[in-house]
Amino acid sequence: MIADTLDLYRKYTGETFDRIKSFDTMADMWEERSREYSDLTAVVDDGKEYTFAQLAEDVANFRTVLKNSGADKCRVALLMPNSYELVKAYLAAVTLGCTAAVLPAHLDEKAVYGVAHMFGCSIIVTSFATADKAKLCSDLTVVDAAESSDTLTPAEKFKGSDGCTIIMTGGTTGTPKGALLSNTAVLQGIINSCLGVPDTFEQRYMLVLPLSHVFGLIRNLLASLYTGSTILICRDNKNMFRECAAFRPTIMVLVPALAEMAMTLSKKFGRNMWGDSLKTIICGAANVPQYLVEEYKKLGVNLYPGYGLTESANLVSGNPEPLNKPGSVGLIFPEMEYKIVDGELWLKGKNMMDGYVGRQEPNSYEDGWFRTGDLVRMDDDGFLYITGRIKEIIVLPSGENISPAELEAQFNTVTYIQDSQVFEDVDENGKHFLSLEVVPRATETAKLGDIDVPAFIKDELQKINAALPPFQRVSKITVRTSDFERTPSMKIVRYKKCQ
């Protein structure tokens, strides 16, 4: 069915809803927005401020560099850490009608070579920090992001269906590949960014997520430019709170791990580490604990959980009522087609990718529907809840299917738990059982005083465990003294399944 949520999102978005406008291509969007907000500051990076007009000129200049390097609606790899140069190069490529593949800056030279060729790129743009990583790409045209020209090249004319961006993803199976997003898909993702949150225009954003991640690129950078907002690029997250204090952002786009870290420090130092100007946090890319929603509200900050995929240009749903609908990832955005098949969410829509680049997943599409691999349920008000991932399902020797995420959500309701992981374990006799590891929430355990904290936490978790059906109960609980291993996007790395 098609999500009939337009009127609801109009209500939640408020007066700024009428400022949301559709565009055919990224070139159309950038040309209009850069003129409309020409005198406003678009980007702050490395102590320098760049207006929309200055950025537009630099983009036009770099289009010339790309054209002179042979760019003709080809695929261009961008290999740089977050920076003004990356923003400029990205906008230049996509407004020239090229498809920009934003590569993670942490890739080594062999991975850079492999990914750039897998994506079919003919040009690779690098900066001083990453130039050495492109030295194996001798058959590609290597362009320095610092190159300039005396000529300004206008944006090209092309279609919304033309390719815009390739983002690396593990897809539904975890095998690295690229999701190809058209101009139409990226623009719909940007529009979805503006829905359900009041006062999104002319704000102050701060970029702490990598632009090689769809959440950082679309919901953070492109949403900021689309709304005439200013974005501060934090080059080193070790400095983010110091830079935050000076910049005073009004909106943050965060993964839960960063939101949790800031809350821990806020409690320790008795002030909001993101600053008193902050009013909104958009939080996603992993499960968002209700604890964070409630604690940030005490600081006067509205934290909105959401759900999206690289394959959906990031945004599928957003929760405009996180206090009233705890645990939900919200209402599916207007005009998205969806259906739930055997508990799995299937999607269609303008924001969906054209397909994978490099490696295909034969089971990712069925009759034109994208199979997300996410197990979900929906309540009577249309609010969506994620209950697990198909690929993470544990099949016990008894034949029972266990969704780790569903169990973790229950254990995470214990205030003293920051993160948890349920997994299949094996004892010395080869018997399979469910095991639970948890990371305590330091701000809450500090209130417990002089007691055996691990023993107390285990007792609290056992109360949850005892209420579960017998086949869902964990047989072992471990209280960790360190965090789980995490991916560059701060997701927990899951333990491999037992064989």
Side-chain angles (χ1 to χ4, degrees), residues 174-206:
T175 304
K177 62 191 72 68
L180 174 60
L181 301 172
S182 67
N183 278 259
T184 297
V186 171
L187 286 163
Q188 187 61 48
I190 296 170
I191 287 173
N192 288 349
S193 300
C194 301
L195 296 174
V197 180
D199 302 324
T200 56
F201 282 78
E202 297 172 40
Q203 299 297 309
R204 294 192 302 277
Y205 280 81
M206 188 169 173

Side-chain angles (χ1 to χ4, degrees), residues 3 6 13 25 27 68 71 89 91 140 152 159 162 206 208 215 238 248 290 292 339 353 364 382 442 444-445 449 452:
L6 183 63
T13 305
T25 68
N68 292 341
L91 290 173
L140 304 185
L152 303 183
K159 297 180 293 185
D162 289 340
M206 188 169 173
V208 296
F215 198 29
K238 293 177 181 178
R248 299 171 58 241
Q290 187 64 17
L292 290 177
K339 62 180 178 179
M353 70 172 181
S364 60
E444 298 302 318
T445 57
D452 186 337

Side-chain angles (χ1 to χ4, degrees), residues 249-381:
T250 58
I251 297 182
M252 293 293 297
V253 179
L254 301 171
V255 294
L258 284 175
E260 182 86 50
M261 179 178 67
M263 177 54 66
T264 298
L265 294 173
S266 296
K267 287 179 175 288
K268 179 178 179 180
F269 295 110
R271 60 183 177 86
N272 184 355
M273 297 301 293
W274 298 123
D276 293 337
S277 296
L278 186 69
K279 299 301 178 187
T280 303
I281 293 177
I282 307 299
C283 202
N287 176 62
V288 180
Q290 187 64 17
Y291 169 87
L292 290 177
V293 174
E294 295 169 354
E295 292 301 307
Y296 273 106
K297 188 64 177 178
K298 294 175 184 178
L299 297 177
V301 178
N302 292 312
L303 187 149
Y304 297 100
Y307 162 70
L309 306 154
T310 306
E311 294 87 347
S312 65
N314 188 216
L315 295 160
V316 172
S317 67
N319 187 348
E321 292 195 43
L323 290 173
N324 296 327
K325 293 289 184 176
S328 173
V329 292
L331 298 162
I332 291 180
F333 286 114
E335 299 184 24
M336 275 237 65
E337 292 186 66
Y338 71 94
K339 62 180 178 179
I340 300 172
V341 181
D342 295 329
E344 181 186 13
L345 182 64
W346 293 18
L347 297 171
K348 283 184 181 180
K350 291 194 296 184
N351 59 316
M352 299 305 296
M353 70 172 181
D354 289 342
Y356 289 119
V357 178
R359 296 186 178 95
Q360 297 302 315
E361 292 189 10
N363 297 322
S364 60
Y365 278 94
E366 188 161 327
D367 297 327
W369 290 89
F370 177 72
R371 300 181 58 175
T372 65
D374 287 313
L375 299 170
V376 303
R377 66 177 177 86
M378 188 173 282
D379 69 16
D380 294 339
D381 297 318

Side-chain angles (χ1 to χ4, degrees), residues 47-82:
K48 299 177 183 178
E49 295 187 6
Y50 302 87
T51 64
F52 277 84
Q54 180 64 61
L55 176 56
E57 181 176 332
D58 290 343
V59 167
N61 182 298
F62 202 70
R63 285 193 205 109
T64 306
V65 174
L66 291 176
K67 287 278 281 188
N68 292 341
S69 301
D72 183 19
K73 297 186 178 179
C74 61
R75 292 180 179 176
V76 178
L78 305 177
L79 179 66
M80 287 170 274
N82 285 2

